[in-house]
């Protein structure tokens, strides 16, 4: 059963605490991504990675950190520096194109984070 | 930065009718993709159209791409209540080494009434 898993589905934290969201894929994809989605909005890219031990900042990386120690795993830490952390977080993966642009991305079910 | 913008923001139709959603983007692309998202779920890929293609079909879906106008449309024919979802277009950037990234629009919320 191949795919992307994210856990937990719902997460509640107090303000000032760091929290780590899990993302695992068994699709053997090289590239992985983290997005944030706010109500009624599209997806905004937080971080992305195309290879183990390497990752790049997306459009809204401030207050977030990631690691890519294994090809299958790309955890996201929401730090206390993130001013507005309550949101729906989506992880995705894809193969890397051979100079023909982006391939389709496979998404996990998401984690809804609420910080109070 | 928002590359794709969908129009309309919301669309409500009756079952059996066709639904058309549009997407405009700003910069040159390699390809454009459409995704679907049911409420509270992850996105599901629907169709990818390359910059050298003008039209593509998949089941009840028809996608067109006009690179001269930097726009795309998604047509869902004979809609069903189960098509109720948000639909997003996503584009890559035809420049640089990170052209595997996607930029998503804000989406069109489609409601199909039984």
């Amino acid at each position: 059963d191949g795919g992307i898993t994210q856990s937990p589905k719902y997460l509640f934290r107090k303000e000032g605490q760091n929290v780590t969201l899990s993302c695992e894929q068994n699709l053997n994809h090289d590239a992985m991504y983290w997005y944030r989605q706010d109500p009624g909005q599209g997806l905004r890219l937080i971080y992305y990675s195309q290879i183990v031990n390497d990752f790049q900042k997306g459009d809204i990386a401030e207050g977030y950190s990631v690691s890519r120690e294994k090809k299958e795993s790309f955890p996201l830490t929401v730090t206390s520096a993130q001013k507005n952390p309550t949101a729906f977080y989506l992880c995705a993966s894809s193969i890397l194109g051979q100079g023909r642009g982006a391939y389709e991305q496979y998404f996990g079910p998401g984690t809804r984070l609420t910080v109070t | 930065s928002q590359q794709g913008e969908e129009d309309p923001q919301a669309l409500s139709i009756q079952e059996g009718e066709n639904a058309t959603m549009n997407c405009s983007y700003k910069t040159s692309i390699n390809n454009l993709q459409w995704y679907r998202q049911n409420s509270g779920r992850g996105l599901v890929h629907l169709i990818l159209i390359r910059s050298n293609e003008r039209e593509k079909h998949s089941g009840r879906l028809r996608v067109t791409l006009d690179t001269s106008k930097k726009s795309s449309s998604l047509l869902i024919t004979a809609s069903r209540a189960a098509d109720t979802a948000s639909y997003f277009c996503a584009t890559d950037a035809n420049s640089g080494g990170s052209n595997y990234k996607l930029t998503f629009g804000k989406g069109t919320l489609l409601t199909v009434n039984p």
Side-chain angles (χ1 to χ4, degrees):
Chain A
D1 187 23
I4 296 192
T5 56
Q6 290 185 245
S7 61
K9 189 169 175 62
Y10 298 96
L11 192 52
F12 298 89
R13 280 292 182 269
K14 295 288 188 188
E15 202 172 309
Q17 293 179 336
N18 290 357
V19 59
T20 297
L21 281 60
S22 165
C23 177
E24 304 277 332
Q25 54 100 358
N26 61 4
L27 300 167
N28 200 32
H29 287 167
D30 289 304
M32 296 188 75
Y33 314 82
W34 272 106
Y35 296 93
R36 170 186 172 131
Q37 186 177 33
D38 293 285
Q41 300 295 309
L43 277 64
R44 291 185 290 168
L45 183 65
I46 304 173
Y47 269 98
Y48 59 104
S49 166
Q50 61 176 333
I51 196 169
V52 173
N53 292 325
D54 188 46
F55 46 82
Q56 286 78 43
K57 293 182 179 179
D59 299 318
I60 55 164
E62 186 176 343
Y64 299 98
S65 66
V66 293
S67 63
R68 186 89 186 273
E69 295 177 3
K70 297 186 301 183
K71 187 176 183 177
E72 302 79 20
S73 180
F74 192 41
L76 173 75
T77 297
V78 184
T79 75
S80 56
Q82 167 51 233
K83 291 184 175 57
N84 211 7
T86 294
F88 188 50
Y89 290 88
L90 286 158
C91 180
S93 71
S94 75
I95 63 174
L96 285 176
Q98 300 299 320
R100 294 189 67 194
Y103 280 70
E104 66 176 283
Q105 292 186 9
Y106 293 75
F107 282 80
T111 292
R112 189 166 298 281
L113 173 65
T114 302
V115 176
T116 56
Chain B
S1 58
Q2 214 79 36
Q3 160 79 311
E5 292 289 339
E6 291 89 345
D7 169 59
Q9 288 186 341
L11 180 61
S12 181
I13 59 174
Q14 296 299 124
E15 219 168 15
E17 294 179 339
N18 295 344
T20 299
M21 288 157 268
N22 302 296
C23 170
S24 59
Y25 58 91
K26 297 187 178 74
T27 62
S28 178
I29 61 171
N30 293 299
N31 65 57
L32 184 144
Q33 302 180 33
W34 285 91
Y35 288 80
R36 165 195 169 123
Q37 182 183 34
N38 286 77
S39 182
R41 304 286 186 92
L43 276 70
V44 174
H45 182 264
L46 294 175
I47 201 164
L48 180 154
I49 187 166
R50 300 201 180 280
S51 59
N52 61 353
E53 297 175 312
R54 291 295 165 259
E55 187 170 312
K56 206 160 182 181
H57 296 254
S58 177
R60 292 184 296 113
L61 306 181
R62 172 179 168 249
V63 168
T64 62
L65 179 64
D66 186 338
T67 53
S68 67
K69 295 181 179 176
K70 292 188 171 57
S71 68
S72 173
S73 68
L74 170 67
L75 168 67
I76 304 174
T77 59
S79 64
R80 306 165 182 166
D83 294 327
T84 294
S86 291
Y87 292 82
F88 295 89
C89 70
T91 53
D92 62 7
N94 186 16
S95 64
S98 59
N99 61 358
Y100 59 95
K101 288 192 306 174
L102 290 176
T103 303
F104 288 81
K106 293 185 178 180
T108 291
L109 175 60
L110 172 67
T111 303
V112 182
N113 302 299

